[in-house]
């Protein structure tokens, strides 16, 4: 992924962004193998489903990728 890519987390029950795209605070990190990020889940509600989205630039256009990366916080 390009260096300026960032992520967001959306609550699937309310369709609201819990963590919105931010070029500073949700910017993806990069190592020799791939892109990655660290997500602290302390503030997320248990027994809810969330989706991870990635915003990046492809061929000069901004694209939000939704590849159905869903997860659930369990008690």
């Amino acid at each position: 992924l390009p260096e300026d890519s960032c992520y967001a987390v959306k609550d699937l029950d309310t369709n609201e962004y819990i963590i919105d795209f931010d070029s500073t605070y949700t910017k993806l990190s990069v190592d020799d193998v791939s892109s990655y990020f660290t997500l602290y889940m302390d503030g997320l509600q248990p027994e809810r489903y969330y989706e991870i989205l990635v915003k990046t630039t492809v061929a000069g256009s901004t694209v939000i990728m939704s590849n159905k990366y869903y997860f659930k916080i369990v008690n």
Side-chain angles (χ1 to χ4, degrees):
L1 291 168
E3 190 174 303
D4 63 342
S5 301
C6 56
Y7 72 92
V9 177
K10 184 166 72 170
D11 184 325
L12 292 177
D13 289 338
T14 63
N15 225 18
E16 294 179 66
Y17 285 96
I18 303 304
I19 301 171
D20 208 350
F21 297 108
D22 186 282
S23 60
T24 301
Y25 299 109
T26 66
K27 186 175 179 180
L28 296 181
S29 298
V30 179
D31 63 15
D32 294 341
V33 179
S34 64
S35 301
Y36 66 95
F37 62 92
T38 302
L39 179 62
Y40 297 98
M41 299 188 193
D42 294 344
L44 300 178
Q45 293 294 318
E47 305 306 318
R48 300 284 285 263
Y49 287 93
Y50 298 92
E51 179 180 18
I52 296 173
L53 300 127
V54 175
K55 183 168 87 171
T56 190
T57 304
V58 177
S61 297
T62 299
V63 177
I64 296 177
M65 296 185 289
S66 172
N67 292 336
K68 298 185 180 179
Y69 297 128
Y70 301 141
F71 66 96
K72 180 181 179 181
I73 304 296
V74 293
N75 283 330

